[in-house]
Amino acid sequence: MALARFGRQVKRQHGVCVKMTAVAILGLCFIFVWSMFSSPSTSVYVQRESFDDIAEPVASGTRVSKSKGGELEKHGSNDHKKKVESNLKKKDEKKVNGSLPLPAHEHKSGKKNEKHVPNRKKDNDKSQLSGEVSKENQENQKQEESQDEEPKNETEEEEEVVVDDKEEGLDGEGEEKGEMEGEADLGESVDQETEEVVESENEGKKRKIKGPVFDPKAHYSWKLCTTRSKHNYMPCIDVESGFTRLQSYRHRERTCPKVPPMCLVPLPHDGYDSPVRWPESKLKILYKNVAHPKLAAYMKNHNWLIKSEEYLMFPQNQSEFKGGVVHYLESIEEMVPDIEWGKNIRVVLDIGCSDSGFVASLLDKDVLALSLGLKDDLVDLAQVSLERGFAAVISPFARRRLPFPSGVFDAIHCGQCTMPWHFHEGKLLLEINRILRPGGYFILSTKHDSIEAEEAMSSLTSSICWNILAHKTDDVSDIGVKIYQKPESNDIYALRRRKNPPLCKEHENPDAAWYVPMKTCLHAIPSAIEQHGTEWPELWPKRLETYPDWLNNKEKAVDDTKHWENIVYKSYLTGMGIDWSTIRNVMDMKAIYGGFAAALLQQKIWVMNVVPIHAPDTLPFIFERGLVGVYHDWCEPFGTYPRSYDLLHADHFFSRLKNRCKHPVSIVVEMDRILRPGGWVIVRDKVEILDPLEAILRSLHWEIRMTYSQNKEGSCCVLAKPKISRSMASAHMALTPSGAVYGAEEGGFDPDQSQYRKERHHKSKS
């Protein structure tokens, strides 16, 4: 009744005061109820005269110890956490070769941590993460002090986060390209001591101890791989399983073994002889070096390669294109005069390795063509291309991005192409669009395409604003050639009626390529002066010595070029005893600005510049100079056939493996796989790295020709891989003292058995 009477009073003309009174009463009731149910510590305030008896709050997971005087010592405070978080944020916002700051998740690596660190629990994560804060803070304080003393020679490195006795980032798993080192130390060496996480048996807590990259007390013995691929084994490409019958011989995507292979790839059954020297290898190679059953079947239906006695011959001007490859190239240049081979067009990607005669003819025009061997290339034509002395890399092309930065190829060619470009929302063509330079050319040659396929391709190229410059069916070869051009600005994207495919989000990094899935969106054309790809490079060969405006630290790039010119001409070419007439395929395992490759250009040598995914991203500049390269994580095997390279160059390469690879020795095994018998390795590093490395190489029966060191810096080691057959090598290796055992037992490759064991020598008390 009271409430009803109160409601009638509110409706009266002078009920405003009553309303305000009601609101005030309700507010007081709420405060009273809240004070009754809230905790005393928040509702009652007591003034204190002293705070000596109150300890500072301790975060969960921190360790509290009592000193001798009875005072409490706390490790891992919130202030420390804030410092660590601020440092990590600064590192994530680093610029990559002058590009815009990128978030941490948009850097080179696309691997996820969850896949490689199983059985995580939220409670354990919280305690372990907080327990590591004090260690991370101590390391950060050390880094800050050292940077104050020598700011030019130090590198910022992120500490590893330990979860379930595993380090995130080991073997490149979960490691992103954003974990980059400062550009100020690109040519410097770093301390080669690695930090290992060890769990104390008594306290159950983790501590870090320092040790060398290679165990100097370990002894090694080796076994041969007994894989299905035998002498052509590619660990991350080939399918290795206990089942004898498999539908596919190779993975659809790059899939590496959980444990890196620790076995040695055998030589072909008929042996392996020294390759034919360049330039004679353009016309013939030794057949037994590339012998393969499917290759013999392939030769029956193709006339551009002929077996003659012990050689595989390549008749001049014979190719898949009727009328000759020279006629094919001239017709392309006639259709689009702006395509000046060897001047305006320098770096070309050839998809499929269907005809290495195309690459050979481009090389005569001073064009550097990189052949992309696909996963279904069972004929092993990429291996033939490498044996002839042409640049090639093996990579699946299905769902993940190719290991190249964006906008670096002047032209991309797909001859006799059967790729389903319009499938899966055009992902494959969108990936080609990503790596093609703005204003670059896509040359597509097909034969007897279906009407449906042509219509789908036409619709797709129109949706991404590619301009078709020429379309012609050659009278001699009966092959239809289409030449497309990528737009040079973003203006044309705004004129599209249908925004499909859409433009990619601004925060998505177009250069992210390592284990990153293909996108169904268009990356915007670079327009800012600090972005690469805004302008077409200078004509070749002027572009080799041109340093664009978007490159940070041009002085360092110039110094890098001069540095390697001096080393190559004063040391490598004359002072090491290497017969450079036998060297054609070279790999720089840790390229920076491409100075090493540029210095060897006059020697008629091509260099594969490998930029590790954890290093500063200088690969766009390497392409800008007219050279080629790829991204790679050296904790995994490289994408190429065995016996691909004549010389491997490793400049302060092993010292950069700190806190990265679980099994650094596996990298030496990989070097043995991709190096040809009789090939060479040049290692420049510190003595602490070279001494145990030499022991490993001697266990492989490599011959060490020369070592040089001065004040433990600038050490140089030249090695020669033996030419003996693997059967002989296995006999010798069986005599090696028992120690670390690498490789698989007879009966097939078993990743568990490839795990190695180390025996340490213990001195007796006497």
Side-chain angles (χ1 to χ4, degrees), residues 527-590:
S527 57
I529 192 173
E530 64 270 13
Q531 293 177 298
H532 69 87
T534 54
E535 296 181 354
W536 193 271
E538 296 286 344
L539 298 180
W540 179 263
K542 187 179 179 180
R543 67 189 286 181
L544 182 66
E545 303 297 335
T546 302
Y547 303 91
D549 295 334
W550 52 264
L551 178 66
N552 285 341
N553 299 321
K554 295 182 183 180
E555 296 79 7
K556 292 184 179 180
V558 175
D559 294 341
D560 179 79
T561 301
K562 295 179 179 179
H563 169 74
W564 285 113
E565 283 181 355
N566 293 331
I567 292 179
V568 168
Y569 285 100
K570 294 181 180 180
S571 178
Y572 286 5
L573 296 180
T574 58
M576 292 191 172
I578 300 177
D579 184 4
W580 288 91
S581 64
T582 63
I583 306 298
R584 172 61 184 172
N585 301 353
V586 177
M587 174 185 287
D588 191 357
M589 301 180 69
K590 189 182 73 68

Side-chain angles (χ1 to χ4, degrees), residues 203-217:
E203 299 179 359
K205 297 177 181 179
K206 297 179 177 60
R207 57 189 177 88
K208 290 186 177 181
I209 61 174
K210 294 184 177 181
V213 175
F214 302 109
D215 188 354
K217 298 181 180 180

Side-chain angles (χ1 to χ4, degrees), residues 361-373:
S361 298
L362 283 178
L363 195 60
D364 294 336
K365 295 179 177 293
D366 218 2
V367 175
L368 182 57
L370 177 62
S371 298
L372 178 65

Side-chain angles (χ1 to χ4, degrees), residues 50 68 93 219 221 250 326 442 506 610 728 758:
S50 174
K68 293 181 180 180
E93 294 178 355
H219 280 209
S221 62
R250 292 180 178 170
V326 176
F442 179 62
E506 293 183 359
V610 181
M728 295 175 59
K758 296 180 180 179

Side-chain angles (χ1 to χ4, degrees), residues 300-316:
K300 295 179 181 179
N301 301 321
H302 299 81
N303 63 350
W304 63 274
L305 67 172
I306 302 172
K307 186 178 183 303
S308 177
E309 296 180 352
E310 61 179 347
Y311 294 103
L312 190 61
M313 309 293 295
F314 306 94
Q316 285 186 328

Side-chain angles (χ1 to χ4, degrees), residues 282 325-331 333 339-346 358-368 540:
K282 290 198 298 184
V325 67
V326 176
H327 170 75
Y328 176 70
L329 292 175
E330 290 176 352
S331 63
E333 203 164 2
I339 298 180
E340 299 179 84
W341 300 117
K343 294 181 180 180
N344 193 38
I345 302 299
R346 163 63 182 175
F358 175 79
V359 177
S361 298
L362 283 178
L363 195 60
D364 294 336
K365 295 179 177 293
D366 218 2
V367 175
L368 182 57
W540 179 263

Side-chain angles (χ1 to χ4, degrees), residues 91-103 106-108 176-181 183 405 509 511-512 530-532 550-553 611 613 615-621 631:
K91 294 171 185 173
D92 289 338
E93 294 178 355
K94 280 189 176 182
K95 290 187 177 182
V96 184
N97 275 358
S99 60
L100 295 176
L102 302 172
E106 284 296 329
H107 291 117
K108 297 296 171 222
E176 295 187 344
K177 193 69 181 179
E179 302 174 20
M180 294 180 176
E181 305 161 355
E183 290 186 359
N509 183 11
D511 293 333
E530 64 270 13
Q531 293 177 298
H532 69 87
W550 52 264
L551 178 66
N552 285 341
N553 299 321
V611 175
I613 63 169
D617 184 12
T618 56
L619 192 54
F621 174 66
Y631 295 122

Side-chain angles (χ1 to χ4, degrees), residues 156-175:
E156 291 183 343
E157 291 190 59
E158 295 186 12
E159 293 299 320
E160 307 288 347
V161 180
V162 182
V163 181
D164 291 341
D165 295 338
K166 296 183 179 180
E167 289 189 4
E168 293 184 8
L170 289 176
D171 281 324
E173 297 170 356
E175 191 103 358

